[in-house]
């Protein structure tokens, strides 16, 4: 079970990297108003959602306790991120505050995962 959980943790990190990497790659474009949602950002958010749900299920199946408040907050942030990336994926330009909110929410989600014990 530990190997399976570690595989999903690795896939979850890959999803985070795709989402945050897609955002960071366009930091220069934010200032000029040319930022847009890349496919890697949408796929990264979807990967995070699927692997995150799988990780919660695997952790509970392994007999571990899950902090439901933490998971609920992370899920709520991810649903907002996924909503923005899905709805705005076809637009050529996004406003700087909207695009910046994707990066901010992703970063907050990472810090919740790492710092909230």
């Amino acid at each position: 079970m530990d190997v399976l959980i570690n595989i999903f943790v690795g896939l979850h990190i890959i999803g985070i990297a795709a989402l945050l990497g897609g955002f960071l790659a366009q930091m220069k474009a934010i200032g000029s108003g040319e930022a847009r949602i890349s496919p890697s950002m949408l796929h990264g958010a979807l990967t995070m959602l699927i692997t995150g749900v799988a990780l919660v299920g695997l952790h509970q199946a392994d007999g571990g306790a899950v902090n439901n408040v933490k998971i609920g907050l992370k899920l709520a942030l991810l649903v907002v991120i996924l909503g923005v990336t899905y709805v705005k994926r076809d637009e050529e330009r996004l406003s700087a505050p909207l695009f910046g909110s994707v990066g901010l929410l992703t970063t907050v989600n990472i810090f919740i995962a790492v710092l909230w014990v």
Side-chain angles (χ1 to χ4, degrees):
M1 186 69 96
D2 288 338
V3 172
L4 189 59
I5 289 173
N6 288 334
I7 288 171
F8 276 97
V9 167
L11 291 172
H12 196 68
I13 292 171
I14 289 170
I16 293 168
L19 178 58
L20 193 60
F23 172 80
L24 293 175
Q26 297 188 56
M27 288 292 288
K28 190 174 184 179
I30 292 174
S32 63
E34 300 289 323
R36 62 184 310 254
I37 301 295
S38 66
S40 70
M41 294 173 70
L42 176 60
H43 295 143
L46 285 170
T47 301
M48 285 175 61
L49 178 64
I50 293 166
T51 58
V53 169
L55 281 168
V56 170
L58 288 172
H59 191 66
Q60 285 181 334
D62 199 27
V66 175
N67 185 342
N68 291 322
V69 175
K70 174 184 174 181
I71 298 302
L73 181 60
K74 287 179 55 56
L75 179 62
L77 291 174
L78 186 56
V79 165
V80 171
I81 293 167
L82 192 55
V84 170
T85 56
Y86 185 76
V87 170
K88 300 294 185 178
R89 71 187 185 280
D90 291 331
E91 291 190 17
E92 289 297 320
R93 296 179 179 163
L94 259 67
S95 65
L98 183 61
F99 190 77
S101 69
V102 172
L104 178 66
L105 291 174
T106 303
T107 305
V108 168
N109 209 345
I110 291 168
F111 279 111
I112 289 171
V114 173
L115 299 176
W116 191 340
V117 179

